[in-house]
Amino acid sequence: MSLRRAFPVLRSALSRRAPLSTAPATREQHAAGLEAVRGRGAAEAARPPVPAVDFGNTQEAYRSRRSWELARSLLVLRLCASPALLARHEQLLRLARRLLGQRLFDRLMKMTFYGQFVAGEDQESIRPLIQHNRAFGVGSILDYGVEEDLTPEEAERKEMESCTSASERDGHGTSKREKQFQAHRAFGDRRDGVVSARTYFYASEAKCDSHMETFLRCIEASGGASEDGFSAIKLTALGRPQFLLQFSDVLTKWRRFFHQMAAEQGKAGLAAMDTKLEVAALQESVVKMGIASRMEIENWFTVETLGVSGTLDLLDWGSLIDSRTELSRHLVVPNMQTGQLEPLLSRFTEEEERQMTRMLQRMDVLAKKASEVGVRLMVDAEQTYFQPAISRLTLEMQRRFNVERPLIFNTYQCYLKDTYDNVTLDVELARREGWCFGAKLVRGAYMAQERARALEIGYEDPINPTYEATNAMYHRCLNYVLEELKHNARAAVMVASHNEDTVRFTLCRMEELGLHPADCQVYFGQLLGMCDQISFPLGQAGYPVYKYVPYGPVMEVLPYLSRRALENSGVMKGAQREWQLLWQELKRRLRTGSLFHRQA
């Protein structure tokens, strides 16, 4: 089976819906958005002013924390700042467990690292913390923190087996896939160089079902914990990653073909949304390349599919890959190395087709459950060789479920060079088709790994050249989305950042654009145990803010705790400021005789 048939499968699995791109639906939904904006404007006069947020006021920032919790945070942050300890932390943990025994080791962990970064062992035991944070204006995003503890060799073996198709193992399909979208043994352990994201390795379809059940429990618990909850999922947990690699390869080649055609028409270097192909010139190019006859090509580019402008932009181009056009059976692209035309769509075996279908069905089950219990579902970003497929599948979920409000949120990693183009394209697509745009903005979790892989394998580094460039990209994307929110009350964004400057920038732009916290369009997110001096002042001022709340048995969340320790060591500027504020508040309580502080 070819990926050509993946599109109808994807449609049937994810898109059993009334058409969203018809003119009446678009007009009605656009009108609803404008009406919501007018309603928001009318209500502004009755709203109380937004309290100022002071991230340096330690008394307010740590009002929710007991003094011994401040002391624990100081200890954990200091330990995370020790390179010698971090270099040997796994050996030290094993030694402590052997010397203390399991019971004392668990108690030690709960008094230190586990107590700092993990809420409890199960959903029942974490309820007090969730309720406590909620009382201070901070919501929870539940995250079952258990990770499979594989050796590097085991991880490499699983990755190579699950990312290689049957045809590639037989030696027939390797050359048709670009290097970036092939499995490489040297990077088989996707955990290498990654400290701020969980990694899933494919084991079996039963294991994927187990991951889905875990996500379902988190969604249900989030729905029960608040009326405005979030949950997060990873698509590599839900199926064989080979499909994501192959689909990403297809989408990337198709977009590159568009830009090649644009260059031939003298339109190279324009922004993604400003690049438009002249249809007449494109038809001539396609005929000359021998892809199809002139009569067949005229049937592709009709008024019904492209309108009357005589031009075709990247969103129109992307829609042509859909099986609803006859173009799908002609899809070939030039091989950049050989100059020969090659089929764009790869082949699947029957078993690979079943695995792909089950992956899409699991996504559908999760989205339906989130819709039933009123929980927003954030689809996490992953490595660039998976991400085009992840974003496309997320978009299909948004088309179906983001009809009345933004239920499905796509994640954009702002350390990537093409993030702004992707954000602007997706916002425009949501406008045209009439669904609600939802985004989570992050800086990104795979920088070191992505750079090393690109250098070793030999493709362009997808990462921005400097930290400053990544900050600029984040703020540029955020500003664009906030501008959209000003005119569209049905769109929303999650600002997932521990960077105080980014949060200040967001608050400033919200004030300038008239975006009130009560509109619940702009959300903030941080990890449990990190940056309370940002989360709690925001919550107490009325901004929607959430903590990622991991839970699970002590021994089974040790890989998660290891990554949290390493992440704190990697952001020492922010951790140092947090340490200073914690110490400042503890000294204030000692000085004023309020060491036995009672939360209010």
Side-chain angles (χ1 to χ4, degrees):
M1 165 175 171
S2 72
L3 261 173
R4 181 187 308 125
R5 288 174 61 191
F7 290 95
V9 170
L10 186 152
R11 291 279 172 188
S12 63
L14 288 178
S15 306
R16 299 184 185 93
R17 65 186 189 281
L20 293 180
S21 56
T22 60
T26 301
R27 282 198 296 268
E28 289 166 10
Q29 291 171 340
H30 182 62
L34 292 175
E35 197 61 38
V37 171
R38 293 192 192 101
R40 181 174 66 192
E44 281 177 358
R47 287 181 178 149
V50 180
V53 180
D54 183 359
F55 299 124
N57 184 337
T58 61
Q59 185 172 356
E60 285 301 307
Y62 299 116
R63 189 157 57 93
S64 66
R65 303 282 298 277
R66 291 164 288 187
S67 297
W68 70 266
E69 292 174 316
L70 300 182
R72 180 185 64 195
S73 297
L74 286 167
L75 172 64
V76 169
L77 287 175
R78 182 57 71 196
L79 292 174
C80 290
S82 171
L85 283 176
L86 288 178
R88 301 173 180 82
H89 74 279
E90 291 181 351
Q91 299 94 311
L92 291 171
L93 287 175
R94 283 195 294 268
L95 177 62
R97 183 186 174 196
R98 191 162 58 246
L99 293 176
L100 297 175
Q102 189 64 53
R103 180 180 293 183
L104 286 177
F105 177 78
D106 286 358
R107 291 190 64 181
L108 174 65
M109 293 302 296
K110 289 180 179 180
M111 291 170 60
T112 54
F113 289 95
Y114 182 96
Q116 179 73 11
F117 298 119
V118 181
E121 299 207 18
D122 52 44
Q123 290 184 3
E124 191 61 35
S125 65
I126 68 177
R127 286 183 183 277
L129 183 138
I130 292 173
Q131 293 169 355
H132 175 80
N133 285 353
R134 171 55 63 187
F136 288 90
V138 177
S140 298
I141 304 171
L142 300 191
D143 179 21
Y144 190 56
V146 172
E147 300 182 25
E148 196 172 6
D149 193 9
L150 300 174
T151 66
E153 293 75 22
E154 290 171 330
E156 179 186 297
R157 177 180 56 78
K158 287 192 173 188
E159 184 74 355
M160 296 305 295
E161 289 176 354
S162 63
C163 288
T164 307
S165 68
S167 62
E168 289 170 339
R169 288 193 293 272
D170 294 339
H172 301 303
T174 303
S175 63
K176 295 182 181 178
R177 302 252 303 280
E178 295 200 359
K179 292 183 289 186
Q180 182 179 358
F181 301 103
Q182 295 177 28
H184 292 268
R185 192 168 298 278
F187 297 91
D189 187 352
R190 286 184 279 115
R191 299 169 302 182
D192 281 351
V194 178
V195 298
S196 57
R198 177 174 302 120
T199 302
Y200 291 92
F201 292 94
Y202 180 84
S204 66
E205 291 300 297
K207 189 68 173 177
C208 293
D209 287 336
S210 175
H211 291 151
M212 181 188 71
E213 292 297 330
T214 298
F215 289 145
L216 283 172
R217 287 194 294 272
C218 287
I219 291 170
E220 290 171 345
S222 295
S226 92
E227 297 178 357
D228 205 26
F230 279 93
S231 194
I233 64 171
K234 272 185 179 287
L235 294 199
T236 51
L238 298 178
R240 189 182 182 92
Q242 170 208 336
F243 168 57
L244 298 177
L245 279 175
Q246 290 183 258
F247 196 16
S248 293
D249 184 51
V250 167
L251 296 169
T252 301
K253 284 178 178 176
W254 191 235
R255 181 178 285 200
R256 186 180 296 133
F257 191 21
F258 174 87
H259 288 297
Q260 182 182 341
M261 294 293 98
E264 288 187 5
Q265 295 188 16
K267 299 177 180 179
L270 296 177
M273 280 308 306
D274 296 332
T275 306
K276 300 182 189 300
L277 301 183
E278 300 294 332
V279 172
L282 176 62
Q283 288 174 329
E284 290 298 321
S285 296
V286 172
V287 170
K288 288 179 182 177
M289 294 173 70
I291 294 175
S293 70
R294 189 177 301 276
M295 184 177 297
E296 288 173 323
I297 294 168
E298 288 175 356
N299 291 329
W300 303 344
F301 306 109
T302 64
V303 172
E304 288 77 14
T305 57
L306 299 178
V308 296
S309 67
T311 62
L312 176 148
D313 64 20
L314 194 50
L315 294 177
D316 300 322
W317 182 260
S319 70
L320 292 176
I321 203 173
D322 196 305
S323 63
R324 288 173 295 183
T325 73
E326 286 297 312
L327 179 60
S328 61
R329 65 186 178 89
H330 292 281
L331 284 178
V332 292
V333 293
N335 183 303
M336 307 304 287
Q337 280 72 42
T338 67
Q340 300 297 311
L341 292 176
E342 293 182 349
L344 181 62
L345 302 176
S346 306
R347 298 192 65 79
F348 279 154
T349 66
E350 289 186 7
E351 176 57 27
E352 288 167 350
E353 178 187 352
R354 284 193 291 270
Q355 291 171 350
M356 177 193 72
T357 302
R358 286 195 287 264
M359 181 185 204
L360 301 177
Q361 289 170 341
R362 292 181 188 109
M363 293 171 59
D364 192 53
V365 168
L366 293 173
K368 284 179 177 176
K369 174 57 70 174
S371 179
E372 287 171 10
V373 300
V375 169
R376 273 73 53 85
L377 199 60
M378 296 185 295
V379 181
D380 284 345
E382 303 193 46
Q383 284 89 346
T384 52
Y385 42 92
F386 294 137
Q387 193 56 44
I390 291 171
S391 292
R392 176 60 184 258
L393 295 174
T394 303
L395 184 149
E396 293 294 335
M397 294 168 68
Q398 290 177 313
R399 280 173 161 156
R400 179 179 181 190
F401 293 98
N402 287 15
V403 179
E404 297 179 355
R405 67 173 186 140
L407 187 86
I408 309 296
F409 282 56
N410 198 5
T411 300
Y412 300 87
Q413 299 189 102
C414 294
Y415 67 7
L416 297 176
K417 296 173 183 176
D418 62 357
T419 301
Y420 182 76
D421 281 348
N422 291 332
V423 169
T424 56
L425 286 166
D426 289 354
V427 168
E428 176 61 23
L429 186 64
R431 290 173 187 157
R432 291 185 188 182
E433 297 187 345
W435 44 269
C436 304
F437 178 78
K440 179 175 76 167
L441 296 181
V442 301
R443 278 175 169 75
Y446 308 99
M447 183 176 70
Q449 184 188 96
E450 293 274 15
R451 282 199 164 135
R453 191 177 190 271
L455 180 64
E456 176 71 21
I457 296 172
Y459 57 88
E460 182 184 354
D461 183 355
I463 307 295
N464 287 317
T466 64
Y467 177 76
E468 290 72 24
T470 292
N471 280 344
M473 177 67 79
Y474 194 109
H475 288 188
R476 186 185 184 198
C477 294
L478 176 57
N479 190 60
Y480 184 88
V481 174
L482 292 175
E483 291 277 359
E484 174 68 11
L485 267 55
K486 176 184 178 182
H487 303 289
N488 182 0
R490 299 166 66 244
V493 64
M494 165 71 77
V495 182
S497 177
H498 295 131
N499 187 301
E500 194 172 306
D501 291 336
T502 293
V503 176
R504 291 183 188 279
F505 172 83
T506 308
L507 299 181
C508 180
R509 290 298 289 140
M510 287 179 68
E511 183 177 1
E512 292 169 355
L513 295 169
L515 297 172
H516 197 279
D519 295 330
C520 289
Q521 285 184 278
V522 183
Y523 303 89
F524 297 87
Q526 290 87 36
L527 292 167
L528 182 71
M530 296 176 65
C531 294
D532 284 356
Q533 80 277 10
I534 293 177
S535 307
F536 284 89
L538 285 172
Q540 290 161 27
Y543 289 89
V545 59
Y546 292 79
K547 287 286 194 184
Y548 270 79
V549 178
Y551 66 95
V554 173
M555 291 306 299
E556 296 182 45
V557 299
L558 285 182
Y560 175 86
L561 292 174
S562 175
R563 289 193 287 103
R564 290 288 73 79
L566 292 169
E567 183 174 11
N568 273 283
S569 71
V571 289
M572 277 312 298
K573 182 180 179 181
Q576 185 175 1
R577 169 166 169 75
E578 186 171 1
W579 193 91
Q580 291 170 345
L581 292 172
L582 285 163
W583 181 231
Q584 181 181 328
E585 172 60 11
L586 200 55
K587 288 192 296 183
R588 186 197 67 79
R589 293 184 186 182
L590 283 167
R591 188 174 61 251
T592 59
S594 54
L595 189 61
F596 299 102
H597 167 77
R598 301 182 68 178
Q599 300 130 334

